[in-house]
Amino acid sequence: METEYFYSFIYILISSLILKFFYNKRIISIISPVDMYVLFFTIVIILNCLYIYYPKNERFDIYNLDVLNEKNFNKQLNVFLRMTTLFLIGVFIYVLRKKNYQRLYSQKIEIINFKKLSINHNVLKKAMIILLYICCILVAFDYKLDFFYRLNYIPQKSSILKSIYTILLIILSLMSSISFKKNRFLALTTIIIVLLIGIGLGSRMATINLIVFVLTYSFMLEDKKTKIKYFFVWIPIIIIFFGYNIALRLESNTHGLIPYLNILINRPYVIFKNTLFNIYYTFIFGFVATSETIKLYHENINNLLTCINPLPGNLTNWYLFSQKMRINIYAPYTAIGELAKYPIFSFFYYIFLGYYFSLCDFYIKTCVIAKKHFAPAIIIILLYLFIMFSFEYNLRSSIRYIYYSSLILFLSKIKINGKR
């Protein structure tokens, strides 16, 4: 126990020194993957330190994980402290290497000025319609009639299509928000279909899509008072919608769009019951699931190589052991828990992650200053998805977003160099 406290002290000391140096003059920005990573996991650590004192009889305790992992709290806390510390070391290395980054992160950046932005709404309209058709076709091909009604939450076979239409749905949320003033009917139709697809899948991505829509539109509001009123209305709506989104898999014996909409009609009270549960599920469940992952997962170097393999699952041996990479049918092993079993690999992995996030951060802010938004927006979305997936999903599920973002970054730099 004393050893665990000692390690906690060391991690907190190192992190505090780096944060003091790094955030002394830094302006925190929503477009910064580094800021969002540090902020998210800082909230996770603080809330879990508070949750340990929460009355046991009032805890949500999904799958009894709260009780099972209470004794391992100090060890589990150090897993997250170590991860965050190594990430910050990676950021620090990039800061020392890239002197311009220090100047850039202390500069206030105007994210986007829609008045000055030239948007061809006819092209945007056509692109939205095409992408919407593609998404519907991909979802139909992936789920078929199971989308509307199925006995199991997760279909028997996963496919690479889900990664594709997950990203496309976020892009559609972004596009529908941008086109809302000019093509209101199409924008509303698009975002409603996007949300219905998310609901039918029982995925929290429905809430993410709504957040993208709401947040993007907020950039079009110039008056500060209008923005405050806007968020005052939408933040409660998002929280309640998230409550509904989470209630889907917990409150229904069957799954799919029809059973999930029945919850909204027949049992709306469960939405409010699950609003507080959102906070637990977003910031705490991944913590205890990570602890359970560490207990259940048996490290195997071949499995690790498969998990970090960028090839599709069908071209690897992933499906030979993927079903064993779960706490139960609903809860997969977490990436953080898997990596905790490989201390040497994870040491370099998290340092690289901090360095890579800083590299993307520099690129994003440089592009935004130059009024280039498309590629940075995609990279931001992918890295935010990585943060969320790494907290509650397999390493293989989360690391793919690093590969996707690196591909976009690579292609963007080739295009920029080509123009020169």
Side-chain angles (χ1 to χ4, degrees):
M1 184 67 73
E2 291 181 359
T3 304
E4 296 298 333
Y5 283 129
F6 173 75
Y7 282 129
S8 297
F9 173 77
I10 295 298
Y11 294 142
I12 292 172
L13 177 63
I14 295 173
S15 297
S16 299
L17 290 173
I18 296 175
L19 288 171
K20 174 67 176 175
F21 166 80
F22 188 54
Y23 281 94
N24 187 31
K25 296 181 180 180
R26 182 180 176 90
I27 297 175
I28 298 174
S29 173
I30 196 172
I31 64 170
S32 167
V34 171
D35 290 347
M36 293 304 105
Y37 187 100
V38 173
L39 178 63
F40 179 80
F41 285 108
T42 299
I43 293 172
V44 165
I45 290 169
I46 292 172
L47 287 183
N48 278 278
C49 287
L50 296 174
Y51 187 71
I52 197 68
Y53 298 105
Y54 200 74
K56 293 182 180 180
N57 60 336
E58 295 182 16
R59 295 183 184 181
F60 293 101
D61 198 17
I62 303 179
Y63 317 126
N64 295 320
L65 295 186
D66 289 6
V67 175
L68 289 172
N69 294 286
E70 187 174 303
K71 294 180 180 179
N72 301 320
F73 177 79
N74 291 320
K75 289 183 179 180
Q76 183 55 31
L77 179 63
N78 279 342
V79 169
F80 280 83
L81 288 173
R82 176 180 183 268
M83 174 194 73
T84 308
T85 302
L86 292 174
F87 178 87
L88 287 171
I89 289 173
V91 174
F92 184 71
I93 292 171
Y94 186 82
V95 170
L96 293 179
R97 178 186 171 274
K98 196 79 172 180
K99 299 299 181 182
N100 290 341
Y101 186 45
Q102 291 179 300
R103 174 186 56 80
L104 189 63
Y105 68 58
S106 61
Q107 178 181 342
K108 188 174 181 180
I109 298 172
E110 183 182 57
I111 297 175
I112 188 167
N113 188 329
F114 281 95
K115 273 193 170 182
K116 297 180 181 179
L117 189 63
S118 177
I119 300 174
N120 190 325
H121 285 278
N122 289 326
V123 173
L124 184 62
K125 179 180 177 180
K126 292 176 183 178
M128 285 172 63
I129 294 171
I130 292 170
L131 288 181
L132 193 59
Y133 272 116
I134 291 173
C135 281
C136 291
I137 291 169
L138 292 177
V139 171
F141 187 81
D142 207 18
Y143 276 77
K144 302 179 177 63
L145 293 177
D146 285 349
F147 173 77
F148 297 99
Y149 185 90
R150 57 187 182 272
L151 295 177
N152 298 319
Y153 168 64
I154 301 175
Q156 291 184 355
K157 292 184 178 180
S158 300
S159 83
I160 194 174
L161 296 180
K162 190 165 187 176
S163 297
I164 297 172
Y165 58 71
T166 295
I167 295 169
L168 291 181
L169 289 170
I170 293 178
I171 294 173
L172 278 169
S173 302
L174 184 71
M175 294 169 73
S176 60
S177 188
I178 294 171
S179 65
F180 185 77
K181 287 186 176 180
K182 295 289 184 179
N183 296 301
R184 185 160 296 188
F185 177 78
L186 177 61
L188 284 175
T189 302
T190 301
I191 192 62
I192 289 171
I193 293 174
V194 166
L195 294 180
L196 285 174
I197 290 174
I199 291 169
L201 301 180
S203 169
R204 284 180 301 161
M205 289 308 301
T207 303
I208 301 298
N209 291 325
L210 180 61
I211 291 172
V212 169
F213 177 83
V214 171
L215 192 60
T216 303
Y217 191 77
S218 71
F219 295 137
M220 302 182 197
L221 304 174
E222 298 177 14
D223 184 58
K224 288 186 178 180
K225 289 184 178 179
T226 305
K227 278 191 176 184
I228 292 171
K229 292 177 182 177
Y230 177 80
F231 283 116
F232 184 78
V233 171
W234 273 105
I235 288 176
I237 291 174
I238 290 171
I239 292 172
I240 293 171
F241 182 80
F242 196 17
Y244 167 62
N245 207 180
I246 293 299
L248 299 180
R249 68 179 76 176
L250 298 174
E251 301 291 341
S252 181
N253 294 324
T254 53
H255 304 275
L257 183 62
I258 295 174
Y260 291 159
L261 289 179
N262 281 336
I263 293 175
L264 183 62
I265 297 169
N266 299 323
R267 291 187 291 158
Y269 58 88
V270 301
I271 298 173
F272 298 98
K273 185 181 77 172
N274 283 279
T275 298
L276 279 179
F277 177 76
N278 292 341
I279 300 172
Y280 169 85
Y281 196 76
T282 304
F283 297 108
I284 295 173
F285 176 72
F287 189 95
V288 293
T290 294
S291 182
E292 190 69 6
T293 299
I294 294 171
K295 289 199 303 184
L296 298 177
Y297 178 54
H298 300 290
E299 59 271 29
N300 183 310
I301 191 64
N302 291 324
N303 290 358
L304 175 63
L305 292 174
T306 299
C307 288
I308 63 175
N309 192 326
L311 293 174
N314 291 327
L315 299 180
T316 68
N317 64 336
W318 167 246
Y319 293 112
L320 295 178
F321 63 89
S322 60
Q323 292 305 311
K324 297 178 181 179
M325 302 286 285
R326 310 185 69 85
I327 298 169
N328 56 46
I329 188 173
Y330 299 109
Y333 288 164
T334 68
I336 298 170
E338 290 178 48
L339 288 167
K341 305 291 284 199
Y342 305 96
I344 297 176
F345 175 80
S346 63
F347 177 86
F348 294 102
Y349 173 85
Y350 287 124
I351 290 177
F352 162 78
L353 204 61
Y355 188 92
Y356 177 72
F357 266 58
S358 301
L359 175 69
C360 291
D361 199 5
F362 182 81
Y363 170 77
I364 289 165
K365 290 179 179 178
T366 303
C367 285
V368 170
I369 291 172
K371 307 302 180 186
K372 298 174 183 177
H373 298 96
F374 183 74
I378 302 301
I379 292 173
I380 290 170
I381 290 169
L382 291 170
L383 292 184
Y384 287 5
L385 285 172
F386 168 81
I387 294 171
M388 183 186 75
F389 272 67
S390 65
F391 188 52
E392 293 186 10
Y393 292 87
N394 294 128
L395 175 62
R396 183 170 175 82
S397 298
S398 61
I399 201 171
R400 69 181 66 178
Y401 293 107
I402 297 296
Y403 295 141
Y404 297 156
S405 64
S406 63
L407 178 62
I408 299 295
L409 183 65
F410 176 72
L411 293 176
S412 300
K413 289 200 170 185
I414 286 181
K415 186 177 178 181
I416 292 171
N417 293 333
K419 286 184 178 180
R420 290 175 183 174

